[in-house]
C-alpha cells in the first residue's frame, strides 16, 4: 500500500499568512493526487485534483504543486474561512489512501 | 446541481448487517465511477470501496474485503454498500462520493454526500 505522510499534522497561523502543507508518498504516484478541505461538522470538499489543477469555484489563493513523491498545498493569504483540516489523497494505486490530515488553526 | 443523499445508517450490534444507500441526482449517474469513504469519530478519512459504471470493476480496502459489497442500480440512480459481519471499528460516518467519468481517472471524490452514521455497538 502507498502511505501518504502529511506534515505538519497541525499548525497555527494568522489571517494573511502564507501556509504550505506537504504530502509525501511512499512511492511515486505521478500526479495522481488530490487535496480536500474539511471544516468541523461539514462534508469534505475537493480543492485540487491532478496535483495542481484548481477545482472550479475554489479561490485562486489555493494552489497545488508537485509530482512523483512530494506534493504541496499552498494558501497564499490565509482567510478566516480557511481554518479547517486538509487531506491529500493518492489515487495512483489501490487501495486509495488519504494522508492523516493537517489541522490549520487560528493563531 | 449535483446532489448525493445517503440513508440507512443506524445502530447495529457487532456481527450484524446493514445496508446504506446513496441517491444521486443532477448528473448522468451511469457514466461515473462511484465510491464510499468513511470517517470514524474524530479521525481522518478512509477510502472504503469503488465501483465502475457497469459494475464490472469493484475495489475494496483490505479491512472490509469479504464483509462489504458495493453495488449500484443505474436505473434508480442509486449506490449501495452492504455491510456484513460488522465490527466496532466499522463505526463511522459513511460518505458516498462521485468518482471520475469513465475514461477520466483523475477527478476522484467530488462531490460528497452529507454522510450517514453507522454505529456498531452492543
Amino acid at each position: 500500500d502507498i502511505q501518504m505522510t502529511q506534515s505538519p499534522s497541525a499548525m497555527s497561523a494568522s489571517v494573511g499568512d502564507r501556509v504550505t502543507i506537504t504530502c509525501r508518498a511512499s512511492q511515486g504516484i505521478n500526479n495522481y493526487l488530490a487535496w480536500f478541505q474539511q471544516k468541523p461538522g461539514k462534508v469534505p470538499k475537493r480543492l485540487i485534483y491532478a496535483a495542481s489543477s484548481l477545482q472550479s469555484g475554489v479561490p485562486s489563493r489555493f494552489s497545488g504543486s508537485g509530482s512523483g513523491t512530494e506534493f504541496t498545498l499552498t494558501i497564499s493569504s490565509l482567510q478566516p474561512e480557511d481554518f479547517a483540516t486538509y487531506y491529500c489523497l493518492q489515487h495512483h494505486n489501490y487501495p486509495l489512501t488519504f494522508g492523516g490530515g493537517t489541522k490549520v488553526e487560528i493563531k | 446541481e449535483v446532489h448525493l443523499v445517503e440513508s440507512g445508517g443506524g445502530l447495529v450490534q457487532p456481527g450484524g448487517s446493514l445496508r446504506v444507500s446513496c441517491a444521486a441526482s443532477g448528473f448522468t449517474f451511469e457514466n461515473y465511477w462511484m465510491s464510499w469513504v468513511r470517517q470514524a469519530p474524530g479521525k481522518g478519512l478512509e477510502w472504503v470501496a469503488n465501483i465502475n459504471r457497469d459494475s464490472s470493476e469493484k475495489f475494496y480496502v483490505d479491512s472490509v474485503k469479504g464483509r462489504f459489497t458495493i453495488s449500484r442500480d443505474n436505473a434508480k440512480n442509486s449506490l449501495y454498500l452492504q455491510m456484513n459481519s460488522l465490527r466496532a471499528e466499522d463505526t463511522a460516518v459513511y460518505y458516498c462520493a462521485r468518482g471520475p467519468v469513465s475514461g477520466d481517472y483523475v477527478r476522484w471524490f467530488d462531490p460528497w454526500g452529507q454522510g450517514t452514521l453507522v454505529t456498531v455497538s452492543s
Side-chain angles (χ1 to χ4, degrees), chain B residues 10-23:
Chain B
L11 176 64
V12 61
Q13 292 189 337
S17 297
L18 199 65
R19 187 177 87 155
V20 292
S21 303
C22 172

Side-chain angles (χ1 to χ4, degrees), chain B residues 57-109:
Chain B
E57 297 182 74
K58 301 178 184 180
F59 299 92
Y60 301 91
V61 67
D62 280 352
S63 60
V64 309
K65 279 180 185 174
R67 300 188 300 123
F68 289 13
T69 301
I70 189 172
S71 62
R72 65 191 295 162
D73 185 336
N74 288 340
K76 295 183 177 179
N77 289 344
S78 292
L79 176 72
Y80 307 101
L81 186 67
Q82 176 67 43
M83 300 181 287
N84 298 331
S85 302
L86 281 160
R87 306 166 180 166
E89 54 265 35
D90 295 318
T91 294
V93 174
Y94 284 75
Y95 297 101
C96 70
R98 190 178 68 173
V101 68
S102 289
D104 169 4
Y105 301 103
V106 174
R107 294 175 174 83
W108 285 97
F109 303 162

Side-chain angles (χ1 to χ4, degrees), chain B residues 40-51:
Chain B
K43 302 297 184 183
L45 301 170
E46 180 182 37
W47 168 77
V48 174
N50 281 352
I51 187 169

